[in-house]
Amino acid sequence: EHLYYLTENRKIPFPFVPPSMSHHNCFVTSLGKLTRWLGGICEDDGVDIFCGFSGTELLYDGNQVTGVRTGDRGINKNGEKKPQYEPGADINAKVVILGEGTRGSLTKKLINRHELMSEKNPQVWAVGVKELWKMPSGTVPPGYVAHTMGFPLGGDIFGGAFLYGMQNDIWDLGMVVGLDYKNPAVDSHHELQRMKNHPWIRSLLSEGEMIAYGAKSLPEGGWFSIPELSVGGAMLIGDSAGFLNGQRLKGIHLAMKSGMLAAETTAVALSAGNFTETQLADYRRRVESSWIRDELWGVRNFHQGFDNGLLGGLINSGIGLATNGRGWGFKNRLFSEAGHTKMEKGIKTDRYKDLQFDRKYLFDKVTDVYYSATAHEEDQVPHLYIKDRDICITKCSEEYGNPCVQFCPADVYEMVPDSDGQRLQINFSNCVHCKTCDIMDPYQIIDWVPPEGGDGPVWVNL
Ligand code: SF4
């Protein structure tokens, strides 16, 4: 396991990996494979898994959640029913546990309706983009782990890269970019390509072949950005609740544990025949008395420290290590602002003018999307709602230069010329479901909703 600071041409090892960042004796695995394996075990135990349906609405009785409505299938792009139309179904449940990943669309509705973020720090996200590279036999040590900071993001953008050695000679290279940067031109996909230009990475990958691409956002805000975890009839787990240790860049163990605690809460609620808000509040108590709280409490101010740049963040981390999580000024709680509010107007820079995509080693977004194996039925209503398209061609164009074109890692948003000057074109079938647009749009006018059930990236080995 290694930790490096990168300059444009050099890599400088840290003398040791701090215990709080160490992953020694952990497993490196494909989450796609892990969840498929777990899914098989659940089905063997008699659990029904309804793949291919999206949850589009929460069902309510008053303020009590009573189930989920799945989306209609077979609606064409004009909103008309096709011959194979199937209406969505209402799935009634005593308890609904939402584990939708980051910025879940039902989670967003639940949080807004019940004001679950009241008095919390706003959630702050990052986006991770990655490529898998198949290498010649015997060249990749399985279990190798490296995390880096510095190049290519520099000191002003939160984030860094990771490199994992997988079985069967596969390198898993990724870049995580905090979604609270100032420069609207920042592009996580392009930062990953810049990373591949580093001589160290080139020396590792140049004999290989890129085989997969994907992107996903992650909740980095920490303990103070976790919403209230339950309402009558519903609970939030995993990334949907913001359970991620930003310092270790790990959340799967927290997702698993929160799922187990929600299950235990449900078992008690079933015995009592009581699914009210008061009963399910037991879930928060279970989280607070578990190792989830111990782990996240020790890094509760980690991300906030990077509001002062990389150096400020590292010093703040040091304070946190010495004080079990206190921040600058030894404060118990540092406050933060939503990431999209940090984007600055009027910056005109081109960080990527030297990037040349040869499609053999450096890939443009569309080629990378091909390797994500994402697929959407083309004749459906696009799943990206823009609440006011005029803003795109007027204010946003003038003030920020349409950052959606940059921050989407899948080339979904394109400004194309037309008779009125320009218009926004949405290539929704490219979408790799990372949710960055819903999070980072400076005007908060993009609403990501699930496409027709079953559509999206395949996540074969990611
Ligand atoms: Fe991610 Fe939004 Fe682009 Fe889809 S459209 S890939 S969710 S940024």
Side-chain angles (χ1 to χ4, degrees):
E1 183 169 9
H2 308 268
L3 183 61
Y4 295 115
Y5 181 82
L6 301 185
T7 66
E8 196 161 348
N9 294 305
R10 294 184 54 215
K11 80 177 196 305
I12 302 161
F14 278 61
F16 65 97
V17 178
S20 57
M21 294 181 71
S22 172
H23 306 94
H24 205 57
N25 285 335
C26 295
F27 292 91
V28 178
T29 189
S30 150
L31 195 53
K33 283 187 178 170
L34 178 73
T35 48
R36 280 196 296 281
W37 174 72
L38 284 170
I41 292 173
C42 291
E43 288 184 317
D44 288 347
D45 272 354
V47 175
D48 291 326
I49 300 180
F50 298 106
C51 294
F53 297 89
S54 51
T56 53
E57 291 295 336
L58 289 167
L59 304 174
Y60 276 93
D61 180 2
N63 231 13
Q64 176 87 10
V65 178
T66 56
V68 168
R69 177 165 297 155
T70 65
D72 293 351
R73 296 160 64 88
I75 304 272
N76 74 15
K77 62 185 175 200
N78 301 317
E80 297 152 351
K81 293 175 186 167
K82 293 192 262 189
Q84 66 271 35
Y85 169 74
E86 289 172 31
D90 287 356
I91 301 177
N92 296 306
K94 295 185 170 76
V95 176
V96 174
I97 301 174
L98 292 173
E100 300 180 284
T102 46
R103 191 70 153 194
S105 38
L106 295 180
T107 303
K108 193 169 143 184
K109 289 180 183 178
L110 188 87
I111 287 175
N112 288 341
R113 172 167 172 158
H114 298 269
E115 300 180 357
L116 303 183
M117 289 301 288
S118 161
E119 297 183 27
K120 314 286 181 189
N121 283 4
Q123 186 54 272
V124 182
W125 283 270
V127 57
V129 285
K130 71 178 182 181
E131 291 177 351
L132 301 189
W133 281 71
K134 178 76 179 160
M135 304 306 299
S137 178
T139 58
V140 176
Y144 177 97
V145 172
H147 288 105
T148 74
M149 54 187 87
F151 180 82
L153 299 180
D156 291 340
I157 303 172
F158 175 82
F162 58 84
L163 180 69
Y164 297 149
M166 312 291 282
Q167 280 183 330
N168 305 319
D169 297 294
I170 291 173
W171 280 124
D172 180 337
L173 174 70
M175 171 67 64
V176 173
V177 179
L179 292 175
D180 51 1
Y181 51 76
K182 295 176 184 157
N183 183 347
V186 169
D187 183 321
S188 56
H189 166 274
H190 288 11
E191 296 297 334
L192 177 64
Q193 304 308 308
R194 287 179 76 204
M195 179 72 186
K196 283 157 55 185
N197 268 340
H198 192 280
W200 169 51
I201 298 297
R202 236 179 217 278
S203 73
L204 292 174
L205 297 187
S206 56
E207 300 296 315
E209 180 195 357
M210 199 269 285
I211 55 169
Y213 172 75
K216 149 184 206 312
S217 52
L218 31 148
E220 289 269 3
W223 183 256
F224 294 123
S225 298
I226 291 174
E228 288 305 320
L229 293 171
S230 58
V231 301
M235 290 177 271
L236 297 171
I237 61 169
D239 274 1
S240 291
F243 286 128
L244 182 122
N245 181 333
Q247 189 174 54
R248 295 178 69 208
L249 203 60
K250 295 290 171 289
I252 303 306
H253 62 308
L254 300 167
M256 288 172 150
K257 182 67 179 170
S258 61
M260 291 155 81
L261 296 174
E264 289 168 14
T265 307
T266 304
V268 173
L270 282 166
S271 313
N274 181 351
F275 310 98
T276 59
E277 185 173 348
T278 310
Q279 177 71 31
L280 297 190
D282 183 41
Y283 171 45
R284 177 143 208 133
R285 284 190 288 279
R286 284 171 189 273
V287 168
E288 290 188 347
S289 52
S290 73
W291 54 257
I292 291 183
R293 196 264 187 192
D294 296 340
E295 180 173 335
L296 292 184
W297 187 251
V299 293
R300 63 191 179 280
N301 290 303
F302 172 76
H303 190 88
Q304 297 93 307
F306 288 88
D307 286 351
N308 303 308
L310 178 59
L311 186 59
L314 291 176
I315 295 169
N316 187 60
S317 299
I319 295 170
L321 282 175
T323 61
N324 192 28
R326 286 183 178 269
W328 282 102
F330 300 100
K331 288 191 183 126
N332 179 44
R333 175 178 176 178
L334 299 179
F335 289 88
S336 63
E337 289 163 23
H340 69 273
T341 63
K342 308 259 178 77
M343 199 181 274
E344 291 182 355
K345 296 174 183 167
I347 299 183
K348 301 238 185 289
T349 58
D350 185 357
R351 293 171 64 87
Y352 312 110
K353 59 183 182 313
D354 297 328
L355 265 184
Q356 303 285 338
F357 302 118
D358 61 5
R359 297 188 182 172
K360 293 192 177 78
Y361 183 73
L362 299 184
F363 298 96
D364 54 76
K365 287 186 191 175
V366 172
T367 308
D368 260 331
V369 168
Y370 171 78
Y371 285 94
S372 74
T374 199
H376 294 83
E377 162 62 51
E378 295 277 347
D379 188 15
Q380 65 176 300
V381 178
H383 63 285
L384 299 145
Y385 287 110
I386 314 287
K387 288 172 200 151
D388 184 350
R389 285 200 183 215
D390 280 350
I391 289 182
C392 306
I393 54 174
T394 54
K395 274 176 91 169
C396 188
S397 205
E398 286 155 23
E399 294 180 339
Y400 297 103
N402 298 113
C404 57
V405 177
Q406 270 74 43
F407 61 56
C408 171
D411 240 355
V412 169
Y413 300 98
E414 236 182 304
M415 298 304 293
V416 295
D418 81 347
S419 51
D420 294 331
Q422 59 175 353
R423 68 181 168 84
L424 178 67
Q425 178 169 299
I426 300 179
N427 307 309
F428 75 91
S429 56
N430 284 1
C431 179
V432 294
H433 295 201
C434 70
K435 317 284 181 71
T436 303
C437 51
D438 194 305
I439 294 163
M440 197 53 183
D441 162 39
Y443 302 97
Q444 295 290 285
I445 55 171
I446 301 178
D447 198 18
W448 191 101
V449 299
E452 192 163 286
D455 287 1
V458 178
W459 304 111
V460 176
N461 287 318
L462 280 93

